[in-house]
Amino acid sequence: MTTTIAPPTTTGRLYAIKLNAGRDGNGAPLRGWIVFSEVGVLLGFVDEGLEGDGALRAFGDIVNLHTVPTTPGFLRACKREPYTPTA
């Protein structure tokens, strides 16, 4: 007997995990979001900059799941993979 596993259904919903690396030497926030699909495919990174949560809202309805503390070095590495929505 063979069991077939159906691929996950998708609704197109996007999810994000916020990374918080504190502040830089000038006091600017070092935060942003890793954005991924509902099936866990990494789509990229959205830098918070000085816009706060508005930076993520600019990309539409993305569910912010959790905030995770991280290091400035890891945040810089994430910035090298910016999230660019596809039409």
Side-chain angles (χ1 to χ4, degrees):
M1 183 174 162
T2 309
T3 302
T4 303
I5 299 175
T9 58
T10 60
T11 61
R13 187 126 211 192
L14 300 178
Y15 295 90
I17 295 176
K18 189 170 188 176
L19 301 177
N20 183 352
R23 296 185 175 273
D24 68 12
N26 295 320
L30 295 172
R31 294 186 286 265
W33 295 267
I34 296 174
V35 179
F36 55 97
S37 73
E38 65 187 329
V39 294
V41 175
L42 175 64
L43 301 174
F45 183 78
V46 175
D47 188 9
E48 179 182 273
L50 298 175
E51 299 176 55
D53 290 341
L56 187 64
R57 283 193 302 271
F59 291 101
D61 186 25
I62 299 177
V63 178
N64 187 10
L65 297 174
H66 192 65
T67 300
V68 178
T70 189
T71 64
F74 183 73
L75 193 75
R76 280 191 300 276
C78 291
K79 286 182 180 183
R80 294 185 200 118
E81 299 293 332
Y83 170 59
T84 307
T86 56

